[in-house]
Amino acid sequence: MIGQSTRDIPLKLGKFDLATSARWLEARMRHPVRRGAMSPREKALADRIKTLKREAGSHSPSAPTLIKLIPELRLRVDACFLSNPYATGLFLEYLQREVIRTGRLRKLLEFYPSQNRVIAGKLSRSIDIPADHLFIGNGAVEIIQAIMHRFTGHKILVNLPTFSPYHEFARADTQVVYNVVKKEDDFRFDPAAYVARVKREKPDTIVLINPNNPDGGYIPHATLVRMLEELRDVPNIILDESFIHFACEGDAYAFRSLGGETDRFPNLMVVKSMSKDFGVAGIRAGYAVMAPARVRELLENGYLWNSSGLAEYFFDLYSRPEFLAEYERKRVHYIRHSRRFFKALSAMPGLYAYPTSANFILVELRNGMVAEDLVCQLLVRRGIYTRTCDDKKGLEPGKFLRVASRTRSENRFVLRAFRDILR
Amino acid sequence: MIGQSTRDIPLKLGKFDLATSARWLEARMRHPVRRGAMSPREKALADRIKTLKREAGSHSPSAPTLIKLIPELRLRVDACFLSNPYATGLFLEYLQREVIRTGRLRKLLEFYPSQNRVIAGKLSRSIDIPADHLFIGNGAVEIIQAIMHRFTGHKILVNLPTFSPYHEFARADTQVVYNVVKKEDDFRFDPAAYVARVKREKPDTIVLINPNNPDGGYIPHATLVRMLEELRDVPNIILDESFIHFACEGDAYAFRSLGGETDRFPNLMVVKSMSKDFGVAGIRAGYAVMAPARVRELLENGYLWNSSGLAEYFFDLYSRPEFLAEYERKRVHYIRHSRRFFKALSAMPGLYAYPTSANFILVELRNGMVAEDLVCQLLVRRGIYTRTCDDKKGLEPGKFLRVASRTRSENRFVLRAFRDILR
């Protein structure tokens, strides 16, 4: 049934505008969808998905990988993927207009991009932090690896649940200690208990992700500053702000980064992925703010040409006020309808959704359904890709899934599917 | 004069076909070019170039960086840049046809690319080496850094002159020992003396670049195999084959890689940049062949998403026979006219050109001219960017420059400029 009813509808992943995709989804919502037990064919597909997921270890196979390996799947909504699709569209508009139509693309692909320091100079203009405090990474993940291999010593304290590279990339001689944030407290982070734990445990490196992945929990700016004051003796504090653009304090949509505070707190390293807020995971762009001596130490040991030509172009764009103004509108638009999506999802029967300040929501199944089965049903029957959290340390297996917010019409499609399956 | 006569001619760097650029260069060759002492304006430009070059350390600023920082410069030929421009054109044709026109570009930029192991699987098909022997890098430079930081121990032996990351990226606790290859012997590598030196010096890591950068010297396949037999006790042997596609043994244009020999020699690690032969430095793609245990060790410590979407597309292309067949024609075409270019340059008075098996040639000035001045004259007056080797360890400063082969018409333009200046 899946193969038949969807074969005539082109996969819209590749299109620049989302309108056609939206129309298709709206039409799809009006049609009945098969319910009840899975057919043998659907079961076979589900088994292949489960196997792939297990082989991928602690990271879900990307949607393109999944489609390539199981071509029978018809992917409609990639709600596993944590990025703002409107920002992707904006980047593509600029790229089309300024690079592809003008013939500049050849230059970006043929020649060596600028070195780390040159790109740091561009970034410096847009975030108003001196270039010697900036280290440019081939995605944030390269920076996490660099910090953990070069600055972390005998012991690192990581909250659980967390983004897994923070424990996976630890060197063999680094002990990983976990601070478990409990679901009973809505995964709320307790600053006082945390500071006490750090003082007792004496790690040389601590990691805070704000908002946290995978639960979306947020530590307010003022709380973080107070904690940093109390933790001046910790040699390395990694603050991962990869989702900070989606977190707002107060009534307006402003977000508050601690990137400007590395002079006041020289032990602080702020890590920032550009994949999520700007929707450009495929170009691999990230940066970190840290004390100049740390940046120098990293650059003296490599990272010479670690940005691609497209990543450099992205950082060029990021330094331009007109791009930033347009991006700001996309960001607010996305946050607005993401909030509505999370609110509607939270109201569904049979699940509990944890409070989130990010662009995804952590959902716990409380109707006896197994998370992996729900993920497979959503994918096989509706083409919706969500993420089980069975591989996430600190989360009970079989119960949790993480759902990302996508475009408004995609979110509506996801809500409808949840409603159908859960009722 | 430069500013006036060239302002009306568009910079052709960005175009996909090279025909317009070729026509411009042909026309330019028929016009007289200013000779004699530099004007104050030209001198001022030359001084800015020299300052930039010094600030760049042991790597020349890229042509795009140079143009950005000195916009008065009119770059015509980037003969500093070591890559096959015909291969760039081929890649761009495919990219236009398959990715840009079909709307697949969004997918490449928006989503996470596949992980290292998945891309290794694609590469495996084209080079016929098992995927578990392959480590995919964000350019070869990332791999060099990874090997030197993870596998190299107390002592590394590096030939001089060399590609500088092989000594610059050494860890603080690694001693770098040099084996100087002498210009008096045409930078010829002496295998017997080298093996004796290794046995005496007992480094844990040795580095061979074949063909070597910056002199283009080549060690025949059979010689390398004999050396590897004799050096089985050395824990790590890095063989950098980044220029191997330009080196031919025998009458035909075949080249011989040692990538398939890591089972026979488990201490061997073959490093390969894709930037040179495929003309795609801006996408950052490279790989290494090594024992599976080494690949596993690297992947367990990071390198999770170190390829971009475009790099993954490149490796996709690289596994397709029709692309490889077209590439092969571009490769042979480029080698053919590069050889003619090198021959003509070698016959110029006032310089000595060293024998080369790469796509560049090392030139020693023997007419009393200072290399830096020649480089500045070529750049300011003709828009030709070549590379001084003043920063290269093992080469006498002021005497050497490295000239890359570009398109046929660009090479003719370069020859004419050399002829004009040297006579």
Side-chain angles (χ1 to χ4, degrees):
Chain A
M1 183 190 173
I2 306 284
Q4 278 169 8
S5 66
T6 60
R7 193 165 292 154
D8 51 333
I9 298 149
L11 188 64
K12 289 299 160 205
L13 274 173
K15 290 290 175 189
F16 291 137
D17 75 304
L18 303 158
T20 328
S21 171
R23 276 196 302 277
W24 178 85
L25 289 171
E26 300 285 355
R28 181 103 178 123
M29 275 192 252
R30 289 191 293 269
H31 282 84
V33 175
R34 191 190 157 93
R35 293 215 186 87
M38 280 191 161
S39 70
R41 188 177 165 280
E42 288 172 338
K43 267 200 200 117
L45 273 177
D47 285 343
R48 284 167 69 192
I49 297 165
K50 289 178 188 177
T51 307
L52 265 182
K53 167 74 188 157
R54 262 164 226 148
E55 283 172 1
S58 57
H59 298 276
S60 287
S62 72
T65 300
L66 204 71
I67 297 174
K68 202 164 289 166
L69 298 176
I70 313 183
E72 298 94 318
L73 286 176
R74 289 291 173 272
L75 189 75
R76 301 298 160 199
V77 181
D78 187 358
C80 174
F81 183 53
L82 312 177
S83 94
N84 178 352
Y86 300 105
T88 314
L90 179 67
F91 175 71
L92 276 161
E93 276 172 32
Y94 272 84
L95 190 73
Q96 280 282 6
R97 195 166 61 231
E98 299 187 346
V99 176
I100 294 176
R101 275 185 220 138
T102 58
R104 270 178 68 198
L105 185 63
R106 181 178 178 118
K107 200 174 101 177
L108 292 190
L109 303 182
E110 182 172 21
F111 293 101
Y112 279 86
S114 298
Q115 291 184 22
N116 215 301
R117 284 171 214 266
V118 177
I119 301 178
K122 296 174 187 197
L123 175 61
S124 169
R125 286 195 291 276
S126 64
I127 58 172
D128 199 24
I129 289 173
D132 62 355
H133 289 59
L134 300 174
F135 175 69
I136 309 295
N138 182 40
V141 139
E142 180 184 53
I143 300 169
I144 296 169
Q145 180 181 346
I147 290 176
M148 291 183 63
H149 286 197
R150 188 148 283 276
F151 301 130
T152 295
H154 69 290
K155 197 192 264 189
I156 186 167
L157 180 69
V158 178
N159 289 327
L160 277 189
T162 191
F163 181 53
S164 59
Y166 283 112
H167 50 83
E168 288 171 349
F169 291 180
R171 290 199 321 250
D173 56 348
T174 301
Q175 183 196 356
V176 183
V177 185
Y178 297 106
N179 177 57
V180 179
V181 184
K182 293 201 184 98
K183 74 168 192 172
E184 291 71 27
D185 307 330
D186 271 358
F187 298 107
R188 233 187 314 267
F189 177 82
D190 180 342
Y194 184 78
V195 168
R197 175 89 196 268
V198 173
K199 288 188 188 289
R200 203 167 59 238
E201 198 82 63
K202 297 199 193 337
D204 58 79
T205 304
I206 63 173
V207 181
L208 295 164
I209 311 181
N210 199 37
N212 193 36
N213 179 2
D215 55 275
Y218 179 71
I219 313 170
H221 185 85
T223 308
L224 271 176
V225 171
R226 267 200 313 275
M227 282 171 60
L228 288 170
E229 287 289 2
E230 291 189 68
L231 296 172
R232 283 188 177 274
D233 289 343
V234 179
N236 308 299
I237 300 183
I238 303 174
L239 175 64
D240 187 330
E241 291 189 345
S242 291
F243 296 95
I244 197 78
H245 280 217
F246 309 119
C248 315
E249 285 197 20
D251 291 337
Y253 289 93
F255 62 92
R256 301 201 64 184
S257 166
L258 271 135
E261 305 292 338
T262 57
D263 280 337
R264 189 170 156 204
F265 304 108
N267 54 350
L268 177 65
M269 289 172 276
V270 178
V271 173
K272 180 82 188 72
S273 160
M274 306 310 260
S275 302
K276 284 81 186 171
D277 29 21
F278 291 91
V280 290
I283 68 169
R284 316 303 303 120
Y287 69 87
V289 192
M290 50 178 87
R294 291 186 193 259
V295 175
R296 275 198 306 276
E297 188 179 331
L298 290 176
L299 293 183
E300 276 161 14
N301 276 279
Y303 307 102
L304 197 58
W305 290 297
N306 62 338
S307 291
S308 69
L310 276 180
E312 180 169 8
Y313 172 69
F314 170 78
F315 281 113
D316 268 333
L317 269 188
Y318 189 50
S319 69
R320 285 161 51 186
E322 76 274 22
F323 173 80
L324 288 177
E326 286 185 72
Y327 163 70
E328 184 57 16
R329 283 192 290 275
K330 307 285 182 199
R331 186 179 74 87
V332 171
H333 173 66
Y334 179 57
I335 293 177
R336 270 198 189 129
H337 80 73
S338 295
R339 285 182 183 172
R340 283 195 292 269
F341 173 59
F342 298 148
K343 201 173 158 190
L345 202 62
S346 305
M348 298 259 168
L351 58 77
Y352 181 80
Y354 291 87
T356 177
S357 292
N359 63 336
F360 51 83
I361 191 159
L362 185 69
V363 165
E364 183 181 352
L365 292 176
R366 293 193 174 168
N367 62 351
M369 223 179 158
V370 176
E372 200 180 29
D373 291 335
L374 176 56
V375 165
C376 285
Q377 270 204 43
L378 286 166
L379 184 51
V380 170
R381 292 201 165 155
R382 310 293 176 111
I384 297 170
Y385 188 34
T386 55
R387 191 196 195 291
T388 65
C389 294
D390 293 356
D391 56 329
K392 284 271 177 197
K393 272 180 200 276
L395 289 180
E396 203 178 331
K399 295 214 142 183
F400 292 89
L401 70 165
R402 195 188 64 191
V403 185
S405 168
R406 303 294 296 163
T407 66
R408 189 142 55 168
S409 56
E410 286 176 326
N411 287 352
R412 275 205 290 260
F413 186 67
V414 173
L415 284 177
R416 166 76 175 261
F418 266 88
R419 222 172 272 133
D420 283 353
I421 292 174
L422 291 176
R423 89 176 150 203
Chain B
M1 185 193 172
I2 307 282
Q4 278 170 9
S5 65
T6 59
R7 193 165 295 157
D8 51 332
I9 299 151
L11 189 62
K12 289 298 158 202
L13 276 174
K15 291 288 174 190
F16 291 138
D17 74 307
L18 302 156
T20 329
S21 170
R23 277 197 301 278
W24 178 87
L25 287 170
E26 299 286 353
R28 179 103 179 125
M29 277 193 250
R30 289 192 294 270
H31 283 83
V33 176
R34 191 190 157 96
R35 294 217 186 85
M38 279 189 161
S39 70
R41 188 177 165 282
E42 288 172 338
K43 267 200 200 119
L45 273 178
D47 285 343
R48 283 167 69 191
I49 297 165
K50 289 177 187 177
T51 307
L52 266 182
K53 168 75 188 152
R54 263 167 225 148
E55 283 171 1
S58 57
H59 297 277
S60 287
S62 72
T65 300
L66 204 72
I67 296 173
K68 202 164 287 168
L69 298 175
I70 313 183
E72 299 95 317
L73 285 177
R74 288 291 173 272
L75 188 75
R76 300 297 160 201
V77 181
D78 187 358
C80 173
F81 183 52
L82 312 177
S83 94
N84 178 352
Y86 299 105
T88 313
L90 179 66
F91 175 71
L92 276 161
E93 275 170 34
Y94 272 84
L95 189 73
Q96 279 282 3
R97 195 166 61 232
E98 299 187 345
V99 176
I100 294 176
R101 275 186 220 138
T102 58
R104 271 179 66 199
L105 185 62
R106 182 180 178 118
K107 200 174 101 175
L108 292 190
L109 303 182
E110 182 172 21
F111 292 101
Y112 279 87
S114 298
Q115 291 184 23
N116 215 301
R117 286 171 212 264
V118 177
I119 302 179
K122 297 173 187 201
L123 175 61
S124 169
R125 288 196 289 277
S126 63
I127 58 173
D128 199 24
I129 291 173
D132 62 354
H133 289 60
L134 300 174
F135 174 70
I136 309 295
N138 181 41
V141 139
E142 182 184 51
I143 301 169
I144 296 170
Q145 179 181 345
I147 291 176
M148 291 182 64
H149 286 196
R150 187 148 284 274
F151 300 129
T152 295
H154 69 290
K155 198 193 261 189
I156 187 168
L157 180 70
V158 179
N159 289 327
L160 278 189
T162 191
F163 180 53
S164 59
Y166 283 112
H167 51 81
E168 288 170 351
F169 291 178
R171 291 200 320 250
D173 56 347
T174 302
Q175 183 196 358
V176 184
V177 186
Y178 297 106
N179 177 56
V180 180
V181 183
K182 293 203 183 96
K183 73 168 193 171
E184 292 72 26
D185 307 329
D186 271 357
F187 297 107
R188 233 187 313 268
F189 177 81
D190 180 341
Y194 183 78
V195 169
R197 176 87 196 272
V198 173
K199 288 188 187 289
R200 203 166 60 238
E201 198 82 63
K202 298 199 194 330
D204 59 78
T205 304
I206 64 173
V207 181
L208 295 164
I209 311 181
N210 199 38
N212 193 36
N213 178 3
D215 56 275
Y218 179 71
I219 312 170
H221 186 85
T223 308
L224 271 177
V225 172
R226 266 200 313 276
M227 282 171 59
L228 288 171
E229 288 288 3
E230 291 189 69
L231 296 172
R232 284 188 176 274
D233 290 342
V234 179
N236 308 299
I237 301 184
I238 304 174
L239 175 64
D240 187 332
E241 291 189 345
S242 292
F243 295 95
I244 197 76
H245 280 217
F246 309 120
C248 314
E249 285 196 20
D251 291 338
Y253 289 93
F255 62 91
R256 301 200 64 182
S257 165
L258 271 135
E261 304 292 339
T262 57
D263 280 336
R264 188 168 157 205
F265 304 109
N267 54 351
L268 178 65
M269 290 171 275
V270 178
V271 173
K272 181 80 188 74
S273 161
M274 307 309 262
S275 302
K276 285 78 186 171
D277 28 22
F278 291 90
V280 291
I283 68 169
R284 316 304 302 121
Y287 68 88
V289 192
M290 51 178 88
R294 291 185 192 261
V295 174
R296 276 199 305 276
E297 188 178 332
L298 290 177
L299 293 184
E300 277 161 15
N301 277 278
Y303 306 102
L304 197 59
W305 290 296
N306 62 338
S307 291
S308 70
L310 276 179
E312 180 169 8
Y313 172 69
F314 170 77
F315 281 112
D316 269 332
L317 269 188
Y318 189 49
S319 70
R320 284 161 52 185
E322 75 274 22
F323 174 80
L324 289 175
E326 287 187 71
Y327 164 71
E328 184 57 15
R329 284 193 290 277
K330 305 287 182 197
R331 185 179 75 87
V332 170
H333 173 66
Y334 179 57
I335 294 177
R336 270 200 189 127
H337 79 73
S338 295
R339 284 181 182 173
R340 284 196 291 270
F341 172 59
F342 297 148
K343 201 173 160 190
L345 202 62
S346 305
M348 298 260 168
L351 59 77
Y352 181 79
Y354 290 87
T356 178
S357 292
N359 63 337
F360 52 82
I361 192 160
L362 185 68
V363 164
E364 183 182 352
L365 292 176
R366 292 192 174 169
N367 63 350
M369 223 178 159
V370 176
E372 199 179 30
D373 291 335
L374 176 56
V375 166
C376 285
Q377 268 203 44
L378 285 167
L379 184 51
V380 170
R381 290 197 166 158
R382 310 293 176 109
I384 298 169
Y385 188 34
T386 55
R387 192 196 195 289
T388 65
C389 294
D390 293 356
D391 56 331
K392 284 270 177 197
K393 272 180 199 277
L395 288 180
E396 202 177 332
K399 293 213 143 183
F400 291 89
L401 71 165
R402 194 187 65 191
V403 185
S405 169
R406 301 295 296 162
T407 66
R408 189 140 60 166
S409 56
E410 287 176 325
N411 287 351
R412 276 206 290 263
F413 186 66
V414 172
L415 284 176
R416 166 75 175 263
F418 266 88
R419 222 172 271 131
D420 284 352
I421 291 173
L422 292 174
R423 89 177 155 207

